[in-house]
């Protein structure tokens, strides 16, 4: 019988690409998610019955144990960028990751891949970064031979980065950013998935920092995005003191609305944007895995075209300008 992998968060942005690749490798894939009815699309990644979404609450021991039972490997992709209700940074990214590793180890599972993030640091001022570091420590405590992936900001058709800012260009001539001079090293989502699959199939261990071939400031990334979508906007950098005040105002509005109104910026995100998000010197990454990361220019036009003024007709209109009367 084919081997079985349980992917926690397997219908999310990164998890779905890992699930697709694992199915192509011939593995049976159990996609553990909070809402299986919203993850039925993963079934199309393999033959009938090869990929199945199942319910799991990563905050609950019995739930995690149930979906890990019988698996040969586990991959944890669960993470949050903003705390919502009981899904806090500590509950999901620290305790949740440790729970997956502890239960997997108790069931005799020897292979685990943990999706972390560049910037994971137990001494960071950011709760997000501290919880990612705590999650890594919890995983290694129970599964010292686990593979930990630390990607920079991830891009792809379903991303919440380029899609969000491209959408903002529709509403005015100004595009505001926080941390305009902060460096990023965007990495293509399928490259991250390929690394995770190698970790499972080749039983690789260690920490890998994953960054793409392009290193740009936040401001430069917005310029790249604007070029792709054929729009001219003034990229305005919001100073950190003002950004902190804005984040505080959004948090008050969120509290007064009992969580119904969520602002576009949080205090923790402002803290994160102060630190460069690039691969550290000397860290092992794609080269050690034999993967050539895909540049942004090869992928962004494939899914950001819908934000162009003429959408799918932009290329035709540009071509028509070159025709002679």
């Amino acid at each position: 019988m084919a081997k079985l992998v349980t992917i926690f968060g397997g219908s999310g942005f990164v998890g779905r690409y890992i699930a697709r690749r694992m199915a192509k490798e011939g593995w049976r894939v159990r996609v553990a998610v909070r809402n299986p009815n919203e993850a039925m699309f993963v079934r199309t990644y393999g033959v009938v019955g090869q990929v199945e979404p199942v319910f799991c609450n990563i905050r609950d021991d019995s739930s995690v144990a149930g979906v890990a039972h019988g698996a040969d490997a586990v991959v944890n992709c669960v993470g949050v960028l903003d705390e919502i209700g009981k899904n806090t940074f500590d509950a999901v990214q620290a305790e949740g990751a440790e729970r997956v590793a502890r239960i997997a180890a108790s069931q005799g599972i020897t292979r685990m891949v943990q999706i972390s993030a560049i910037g994971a640091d137990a001494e960071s001022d950011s709760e997000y970064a501290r919880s990612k570091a705590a999650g890594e420590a919890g995983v290694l405590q129970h599964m010292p031979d686990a593979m930990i992936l630390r990607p920079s900001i991830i891009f792809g058709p379903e991303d919440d980065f380029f899609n969000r800012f491209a959408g903002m260009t529709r509403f005015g001539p100004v595009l505001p950013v926080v941390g305009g001079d902060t460096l990023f090293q965007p990495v293509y989502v399928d490259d991250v998935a390929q690394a995770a699959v190698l970790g499972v199939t080749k039983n690789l261990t260690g920490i890998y920092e994953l960054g793409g071939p392009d290193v740009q400031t936040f401001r430069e990334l917005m310029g790249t995005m604007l070029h792709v979508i054929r729009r001219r906007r003034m990229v305005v950098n919001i100073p950190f003191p003002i950004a902190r005040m804005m984040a505080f105002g959004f948090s008050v509005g969120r509290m007064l609305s009992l969580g119904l109104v969520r602002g576009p910026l949080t205090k923790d995100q402002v803290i994160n944007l102060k630190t460069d998000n690039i691969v550290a010197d000397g860290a092992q990454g794609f080269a050690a895995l034999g993967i050539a990361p895909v540049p942004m220019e090869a992928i962004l036009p494939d899914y950001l075209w819908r934000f162009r003024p003429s959408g799918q007709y932009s290329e035709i209109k540009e071509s028509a300008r070159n025709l002679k009367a």
Side-chain angles (χ1 to χ4, degrees):
M1 182 178 293
K3 291 184 176 181
L4 170 66
V5 60
T6 296
I7 305 177
F8 294 86
S11 66
F13 176 36
V14 178
R16 66 182 65 187
Y17 285 83
I18 299 175
R20 182 185 292 114
R21 279 186 170 269
M22 288 304 304
K24 288 182 178 179
E25 290 289 330
W27 284 55
R28 290 180 296 133
V29 183
R30 185 181 288 157
V31 175
V33 294
R34 287 182 298 169
N35 300 299
N37 290 335
E38 297 178 5
M40 292 301 176
F41 63 88
V42 300
R43 288 182 168 178
T44 63
Y45 295 166
V47 299
V48 176
Q50 185 182 4
V51 184
E52 286 292 333
V54 296
F55 171 78
C56 176
N57 181 353
I58 200 172
R59 303 194 314 269
D60 180 74
D61 274 26
S62 61
S63 183
V64 172
V67 299
H69 180 71
D72 297 281
V74 294
V75 179
N76 181 32
C77 305
V78 180
V80 291
L81 292 174
D82 187 13
E83 297 179 313
I84 303 176
K86 295 182 179 180
N87 292 318
T88 63
F89 291 135
D90 284 337
V92 174
Q93 297 182 161
E95 297 169 12
E98 185 273 338
R99 179 174 292 108
V100 171
R102 169 169 50 83
I103 292 175
S106 70
Q107 294 185 0
I109 300 172
T110 59
R111 304 185 191 187
M112 178 173 181
V113 176
Q114 167 72 13
I115 307 298
S116 184
I118 284 181
D121 182 3
E123 304 300 323
S124 175
D125 293 331
S126 162
E127 293 181 38
Y128 174 87
R130 290 199 305 271
S131 67
K132 282 291 189 181
E136 292 182 4
V139 168
L140 295 176
Q141 177 186 352
H142 299 284
M143 299 193 73
D145 291 330
M147 179 194 212
I148 294 177
L149 300 180
R150 293 177 175 174
S152 183
I153 190 164
I154 303 175
F155 69 91
E158 304 86 3
D159 72 45
D160 194 35
F161 182 71
F162 286 114
N163 278 304
R164 171 183 290 187
F165 285 99
M168 290 171 59
T169 63
R170 293 171 168 171
F171 303 111
V174 175
L175 184 61
V177 299
V178 177
D181 295 325
T182 301
L183 292 173
F184 290 89
Q185 196 170 352
V187 56
Y188 181 42
V189 61
D190 198 43
D191 290 338
V192 177
Q194 186 177 353
V197 170
L198 285 176
V200 174
T201 58
K202 304 297 184 182
N203 204 14
L204 301 180
T205 66
I207 298 176
Y208 297 79
E209 296 198 354
L210 307 181
D214 307 301
V215 177
Q216 295 183 357
T217 65
F218 198 166
R219 190 192 305 272
E220 289 171 338
L221 286 177
M222 293 299 97
T224 298
M225 180 268 294
L226 288 169
H227 175 73
V228 170
I229 65 174
R230 312 289 200 268
R231 290 183 185 269
R232 293 184 178 181
R233 296 292 183 269
M234 181 183 296
V235 180
V236 176
N237 184 50
I238 301 176
F240 284 113
I242 297 177
R244 285 196 297 269
M245 289 188 291
M246 292 173 60
F248 175 75
F250 291 138
S251 66
V252 171
R254 183 173 182 173
M255 180 179 62
L256 294 176
S257 67
L258 302 179
L260 296 177
V261 177
R262 296 169 56 195
L265 189 67
T266 68
K267 175 184 176 182
D268 201 71
Q269 289 169 350
V270 173
I271 295 173
N272 269 323
L273 286 168
K274 291 182 178 180
T275 306
D276 290 340
N277 198 263
I278 59 176
V279 174
D281 291 338
Q284 61 180 354
F286 282 126
L289 297 171
I291 298 173
V294 178
M296 290 185 292
E297 63 183 14
I299 302 296
L300 294 184
D302 290 344
Y303 68 95
L304 292 183
W305 57 264
R306 62 194 181 93
F307 296 103
R308 294 172 179 172
S310 300
Q312 68 268 39
Y313 301 109
S314 291
E315 299 287 352
I316 297 176
K317 292 180 67 174
E318 291 173 7
S319 178
R321 295 194 188 101
N322 299 322
L323 297 177
K324 295 182 179 180

